[in-house]
Amino acid sequence: MTTTADTTSATITPVVEMSAIRKVYRQVLAPEQKPGLLARLFGGKAGREANNAPENPAAANAPSGAETGTEMGVDASSEAGVEVLRGISLTIAPGEFVALQGTSGSGKSTLLHLMGLLDSPTDGTYRLLGRDVSHLSDDERSHLRNTALGFVFQSFYLVPYATALENVMLPGMYSGLAPAELRARGLELLARVGLADRVNFKPANLSGGQQQRVAMARALLCDPGLLLADEPTGQLDSATSHEIMRLFAEVNAEGRTIVLVTHDEEVARRARRIIRIEDGRIVSDETTATAPVSP
Ligand SMILES: Nc1ncnc2c1ncn2[C@@H]1O[C@H](COP(=O)(O)OP(=O)(O)OP(=O)(O)O)[C@@H](O)[C@H]1O
Ligand SMILES: [Mg+2]
């Protein structure tokens, strides 16, 4: 048997490789039964502390309905459940900037949560960074989430009683950095997103755009290869939204892969690939001409 000398093209491992992914919700959990998103995001101690905090941040920053998956109005007694993703196959290569679009309820957040290991598919296979993640334990999923992925959400999900710097350092328990290094990295990231003079501010004293910058800095703490964003500009005016998109473009230019859910056509045009989902299926997948994000 002959072997090929060409090892370059064959060795690029996709960041995301999904095959025939289905998601069926069989049960709607009451809000008090569901772990808060912060707990799911950071897992372990950081998530527990954040979630059990006196001023529960999940409650304080809680988005409604679709983002949390609660109060969906789905009949919990329905035997068959609700099939929300109906066979999604999708490959995303390193360095891509992908926008996910679709009408409300089409399954965008569900798909993003599966990509981010915040939820598991009912069927299908998912390889993240070349690794089959179907059979990982909760701890392994938390670890992978906190070392390889960064998240940004419409509702920021900052811990309200913690300063900007403390919020950025929150996923730091997975970074392997000593406390002083972690702090230095947090300060460096806050400076990078233009908040060097706000490091000790609490979220309530920051504007929406500034809170989202803190969330971006936090998402970058562990130097993730893949950034997942769900309507990151959904609560921002157009000028602020433009600034946030400029940050995403910079982060993408560093080689990080981005998957961003958005309703906003202008935001979607910043991506180089637009995937549209309807009723749990991919209905189009187009590579676009790059729209440069002007300064
Ligand atoms: N935990 C859950 N239990 C039951 N049904 C759910 C749950 N989470 C989402 N759904 C249902 O799945 C479908 C897709 O929801 P999803 O949040 O993924 O939509 P979306 O495309 O992100 O919508 P939006 O644009 O409004 O955010 C909806 O019909 C929703 O009611
Ligand atoms: Mg959504």
Side-chain angles (χ1 to χ4, degrees), residues 29-35:
L29 295 177
E32 64 277 11
Q33 293 174 289
K34 284 179 75 80

Side-chain angles (χ1 to χ4, degrees), residues 1 24 58 75 86 105 120 124 132 150 175 182 211 236 238 253 274 288:
M1 199 162 84
V24 178
D75 179 7
R86 304 162 182 254
S120 304
D132 185 345
S175 67
L182 186 61
Q211 290 185 59
L236 307 177
S238 65
I274 299 182
T288 62

Side-chain angles (χ1 to χ4, degrees), residues 25 27-31 65-66 68-78 82:
Y25 285 115
Q27 187 191 8
V28 180
L29 295 177
T68 55
T70 56
E71 296 164 15
M72 290 300 188
V74 179
D75 179 7
S77 64
S78 157
V82 180

Side-chain angles (χ1 to χ4, degrees), residues 56-65 67-68 155 157 235:
N56 185 333
N61 277 334
S64 60
E67 206 168 330
T68 55
S155 312
Y157 281 107
Q235 285 192 22

Side-chain angles (χ1 to χ4, degrees), residues 25-29 34 65-70 72-74 82 84-85 102-111 119 230-231 261 263:
Y25 285 115
R26 293 220 153 76
Q27 187 191 8
V28 180
L29 295 177
K34 284 179 75 80
E67 206 168 330
T68 55
T70 56
M72 290 300 188
V74 179
V82 180
V84 172
L85 296 177
T103 51
S104 182
S106 54
K108 306 179 295 294
S109 295
T110 304
L111 181 57
D119 202 352
D230 199 348
E231 298 278 3
V261 170
H263 278 113

Side-chain angles (χ1 to χ4, degrees), residues 35-276:
L37 190 65
L38 275 167
R40 281 195 285 155
L41 266 180
F42 302 119
K45 189 164 168 281
R48 274 196 299 278
E49 273 177 9
N51 206 44
N52 295 332
E55 298 166 65
N56 185 333
N61 277 334
S64 60
E67 206 168 330
T68 55
T70 56
E71 296 164 15
M72 290 300 188
V74 179
D75 179 7
S77 64
S78 157
E79 284 270 311
V82 180
E83 187 171 358
V84 172
L85 296 177
R86 304 162 182 254
I88 300 273
S89 297
L90 175 63
T91 302
I92 298 175
E96 283 202 78
F97 190 160
V98 179
L100 268 184
Q101 293 210 283
T103 51
S104 182
S106 54
K108 306 179 295 294
S109 295
T110 304
L111 181 57
L112 203 77
H113 286 193
L114 294 182
M115 274 182 201
L117 306 177
L118 290 166
D119 202 352
S120 304
T122 309
D123 263 315
T125 55
Y126 178 24
R127 297 179 74 82
L128 173 63
L129 298 160
R131 184 166 174 195
D132 185 345
V133 290
S134 328
H135 305 291
L136 296 185
S137 69
D138 281 354
D139 275 356
E140 287 169 323
R141 291 163 68 86
S142 282
H143 190 265
L144 193 52
R145 203 164 46 233
N146 285 288
T147 51
L149 309 179
F151 294 86
V152 182
F153 294 93
Q154 176 172 358
S155 312
F156 319 134
Y157 281 107
L158 300 178
V159 178
Y161 57 82
T163 64
L165 179 59
E166 288 162 352
N167 267 288
V168 174
M169 289 164 59
L170 184 67
M173 58 186 287
Y174 294 91
S175 67
L177 294 176
E181 286 173 311
L182 186 61
R183 192 182 149 80
R185 170 116 180 109
L187 288 170
E188 178 198 325
L189 284 166
L190 281 169
R192 176 174 174 190
V193 300
L195 293 177
D197 56 350
R198 295 285 191 279
V199 296
N200 291 319
F201 280 50
K202 304 235 167 109
N205 300 322
L206 295 170
S207 69
Q210 290 170 336
Q211 290 185 59
Q212 198 59 303
R213 286 165 181 274
V214 174
M216 294 245 352
R218 181 180 63 188
L220 294 173
L221 186 79
C222 295
D223 201 16
L226 172 62
L227 211 63
L228 300 170
D230 199 348
E231 298 278 3
T233 61
Q235 285 192 22
L236 307 177
D237 62 37
S238 65
T240 313
S241 150
H242 188 82
E243 289 168 18
I244 294 293
M245 288 313 295
R246 201 148 57 83
L247 272 177
F248 274 103
E250 274 177 33
V251 161
N252 179 238
E254 295 169 354
R256 296 180 215 271
T257 310
I258 296 176
V259 181
L260 184 151
V261 170
T262 183
H263 278 113
D264 186 329
E265 294 298 331
E266 199 182 323
V267 168
R269 277 199 295 274
R270 307 295 182 198
R272 283 192 291 272
R273 178 175 170 194
I274 299 182
I275 297 175
R276 286 178 211 280

